[in-house]
Amino acid sequence: MTLHTRRTRRRLALAVGAGVTLALLATGCTGSAGGSATSGGTTMLAAMDNGSPTFTRNFNPYSASKRTTATVIYEPLFVTNTLDGTLVPFLGTEYTQPDASTIVVTVRDGVTWQDGEAFTADDVAYTYQLIKDNASLDTTGVWQNVASIDVADSTVTFHLSSQNVPAVSIVLNVPIVPKHIWESVTDPVTYTDEDPIGTGPYELGDFNENQYTLTKYADYWQADKVAASEIILPASNTQLDVVNNGYDWAYAYMSDVENTWVSASDGNTYWFPPGGTIALLPNLTKAPYNDVNFRQGLSLALDRTKIADVAEESYVDPAGTSGLLLPNQEAWLDPSLPNGGEVDQDTTAALAAFAKAGYTQDASGKLVDSTGTQFAVTISTVNGWTDWLRGVQEVQRQLEAIGMAVTVDQPQQAAFEQARAQGDFDLAMGSFGGTGSLYNDFNQLMSSEFAVPVGETASANFQRYSSAEADAALAELKVTVDEDAQKEIGYQLQQIMTADLPVVPLFYGGLWGLFSNTNFTNWPSADNPYATPATWGANPLLILTTITAAN
């Protein structure tokens, strides 16, 4: 089966598994205005924010407890489409990287704050100084990458602290706040910004603890691209609410999506693109996981299509060994990788690889070492993450079929993450990729910078992989501006990934976008992947300025 045919089959596959009985249950409709026509356009009902269980009025865009829509009110210079890494202009019109340690941005003219004041490059300079002076506001580590900033008219120049081409997506994605308001804030760290004034397409309307609204900013610099005149955001967004109350946009995993969401209304559709790769992480500080032959045996022993089907109800594709998030990063795929890096189950080849690592099948079919002891492994996954558990249980069945003794461990999330970070595991479920940056994806997966000793806490590369070849390629990629050269280095990293298998990719983790075409169309889709379906971060800016009114 060709790569294209396999992916086409999987995109067309209908969801399977147990359905959720929704139609028989009634709920109160807190957002019954969803989709209603108003004098200024059409109202949207969206599950873009969730109360815990009610809303706290906090729109400080740098606060950990902010309302998620703060980043719809406050725009950055550029928004990253994490599907392909493209930077979309917002308060910046263009940027250049004349060298690996400089980013030059042209700031947009003709933009006003929602109180009518003019937006200028001084607001940009003030914002970056603000998060430098208040380090806890620098939530993405901008000033770990920036040494200084210069402003001249409508040009802002970022001088990086080192040669670091991939830093552009971090540096340019900061929500910009108005100097004329924030410079009088006593403590910007604790400031809750209850009446936010941004440059974005929406400003805050009515607010109470159970529901609030965003209203279209009439003088928004691209107001003609904003289709919804108002967005209603309930605090409660259960699956029953989403299905029964006529939501226009929600983010939710929904079992048997065809018979729950799609069949609920003629206009309902969905898009579940890949947002990361789910993989088995082998502890490379332990034998036999530190033997590449053993890791290749694991990879060849697995039927990834079956694992993906069982784990995610056929919503996602099995993952190959390239390390790329496909089809998102298909343009970066090494054309020399056989079958695009996808690996079919091959029990004969798996047993040959295990034999090279010192394990063979005995007469009873058990996989044993030279002393006749059956190989035993514990696979760790988070308690309550049912899709990962289903995937692990299918992996367990397949490895037991080849002769291993497999135990599944399900600690609570905090305990799981601590054990994984400190290297206290055999095989652990994990995810990687999805940042939109080729460098960041591979760096977090393979860089020896993160390979701290067992017992110390790793922030990435939990399997503690170390390769001089990979480190050299990553170092070169970090300082390379030319895209063709970046691709060649990316090919090297894919070849290392496929040969060395620092992790064993299983399937792609989905992003669960639910949409209705009744009131709005042109939602992101496989045919038009201009954004992910995510309702958080700056991603909604891409969607809310692209969708169109259905009528």
Side-chain angles (χ1 to χ4, degrees):
M1 182 181 295
T2 66
L3 184 64
H4 173 75
T5 302
R6 180 177 298 176
R7 288 191 186 135
T8 300
R9 177 186 70 79
R10 310 228 356 114
R11 282 197 294 267
L12 296 176
L14 294 178
V16 297
V20 179
T21 305
L22 296 170
L24 299 180
L25 301 177
T27 62
C29 188
T30 60
S32 59
S36 64
T38 69
S39 59
T42 303
T43 295
M44 175 187 295
L45 179 61
M48 291 175 62
D49 204 350
N50 288 290
S52 302
T54 56
F55 287 135
T56 300
R57 188 165 177 156
N58 181 356
F59 289 89
N60 182 333
Y62 315 115
S63 170
S65 57
K66 67 180 176 294
R67 300 268 54 84
T68 59
T69 54
T71 46
V72 172
I73 295 171
Y74 292 107
E75 298 176 294
L77 293 169
F78 291 81
V79 176
T80 302
N81 175 4
T82 57
L83 289 171
D84 61 8
T86 303
L87 269 64
V88 181
F90 271 77
L91 292 180
T93 60
E94 63 178 355
Y95 76 92
T96 59
Q97 290 181 280
D99 56 61
S101 58
T102 309
I103 305 169
V104 181
V105 176
T106 302
V107 174
R108 189 176 300 279
D109 291 326
V111 175
T112 61
W113 294 100
Q114 292 164 356
D115 61 0
E117 292 287 328
F119 160 79
T120 71
D122 286 341
D123 293 304
V124 177
Y126 170 80
T127 294
Y128 281 87
Q129 188 64 41
L130 176 73
I131 65 172
K132 180 181 182 181
D133 293 342
N134 300 273
S136 63
L137 302 183
D138 187 8
T139 57
T140 58
V142 170
W143 283 97
Q144 296 174 21
N145 298 282
V146 175
S148 63
I149 298 175
D150 294 332
V151 176
D153 297 325
S154 293
T155 300
V156 179
T157 301
F158 297 88
H159 302 284
L160 304 183
S161 52
S162 64
Q163 296 186 75
N164 190 351
V165 174
V168 64
S169 61
I170 297 173
V171 172
L172 302 187
N173 200 32
V174 175
I176 307 300
V177 296
K179 176 182 178 181
H180 68 280
I181 293 176
W182 279 67
E183 64 184 353
S184 63
V185 173
T186 303
D187 186 352
V189 174
T190 60
Y191 180 48
T192 55
D193 196 16
E194 294 186 2
D195 298 298
I197 300 295
T199 59
Y202 291 93
E203 50 190 331
L204 182 62
D206 296 332
F207 186 97
N208 64 60
E209 65 179 9
N210 296 311
Q211 178 174 291
Y212 69 95
T213 63
L214 298 179
T215 59
K216 180 177 176 178
Y217 174 40
D219 293 326
Y220 180 52
W221 59 273
Q222 51 177 346
D224 59 324
K225 295 183 179 180
V226 181
S229 59
E230 182 180 57
I231 304 174
I232 296 177
L233 300 122
S236 174
N237 299 285
T238 67
Q239 287 194 12
L240 290 171
D241 293 332
V242 170
V243 171
N244 291 342
N245 293 356
Y247 276 65
D248 295 290
W249 177 18
Y251 181 94
Y253 180 93
M254 196 164 286
S255 188
D256 194 12
V257 68
E258 292 284 343
N259 289 317
T260 51
W261 172 248
V262 174
S263 64
S265 173
D266 289 342
N268 285 2
T269 185
Y270 66 96
W271 185 40
F272 293 166
T277 301
I278 312 303
L280 286 176
L281 312 184
N283 189 333
L284 302 181
T285 70
K286 293 183 177 182
Y289 313 106
N290 58 357
D291 187 331
V292 67
N293 294 304
F294 191 87
R295 300 196 297 274
Q296 290 288 354
L298 282 175
S299 179
L300 291 162
L302 299 175
D303 181 344
R304 289 170 170 79
T305 298
K306 181 67 180 295
I307 295 166
D309 288 349
V310 169
E312 304 290 2
E313 302 187 47
S314 298
Y315 294 156
V316 301
D317 285 344
T321 59
S322 69
L324 299 183
L325 190 60
L326 300 175
N328 304 6
Q329 296 176 310
E330 193 125 30
W332 297 87
L333 181 64
D334 181 355
S336 71
L337 282 182
N339 203 27
E342 292 195 359
V343 179
D344 291 323
Q345 185 183 45
D346 187 335
T347 301
T348 300
L351 289 173
F354 285 134
K356 291 180 181 179
Y359 292 87
T360 57
Q361 279 186 331
D362 66 11
S364 67
K366 293 179 180 178
L367 193 69
V368 299
D369 62 16
S370 59
T371 68
T373 302
Q374 184 180 22
F375 178 76
V377 59
T378 297
I379 307 177
S380 303
T381 188
V382 178
N383 188 294
W385 291 14
T386 56
D387 54 343
W388 281 24
L389 176 59
R390 290 193 299 265
V392 167
Q393 288 173 334
E394 180 57 32
V395 170
Q396 178 184 32
R397 283 189 285 270
Q398 294 181 19
L399 294 183
E400 287 178 342
I402 208 168
M404 294 185 187
V406 182
T407 301
V408 176
D409 183 33
Q410 301 180 65
Q412 294 300 315
Q413 182 176 352
F416 169 85
E417 291 179 350
Q418 180 179 9
R420 186 179 59 177
Q422 295 185 351
D424 183 18
F425 64 91
D426 293 340
L427 290 175
M429 287 290 276
S431 62
F432 68 89
T435 68
S437 164
L438 185 76
Y439 171 82
N440 289 336
D441 287 352
F442 275 113
N443 190 58
Q444 293 173 16
L445 179 66
M446 303 172 76
S447 174
S448 63
E449 173 188 354
F450 303 106
V452 298
V454 169
E456 295 183 17
T457 300
S459 59
N461 185 5
F462 302 114
Q463 68 280 7
R464 290 164 165 79
Y465 177 73
S466 183
S467 160
E469 185 181 3
D471 285 345
L474 287 167
E476 186 179 1
L477 184 59
K478 186 176 183 179
V479 301
T480 300
V481 176
D482 181 74
E483 186 172 297
D484 289 337
Q486 290 173 353
K487 283 189 176 181
E488 290 299 325
I489 301 166
Y491 295 167
Q492 295 176 36
L493 289 166
Q494 293 168 56
Q495 293 288 346
I496 295 169
M497 172 73 183
T498 298
D500 248 13
L501 283 181
V503 300
V504 180
L506 298 176
F507 55 88
Y508 297 119
L511 297 171
W512 316 113
L514 305 176
F515 308 113
S516 170
N517 288 313
T518 300
N519 302 300
F520 304 96
T521 60
N522 204 30
W523 298 101
S525 66
D527 294 328
N528 188 19
Y530 64 85
T532 78
T535 55
W536 60 86
N539 188 74
L541 286 170
L542 300 176
I543 296 176
L544 294 171
T545 57
T546 304
I547 57 172
T548 56
N551 299 317

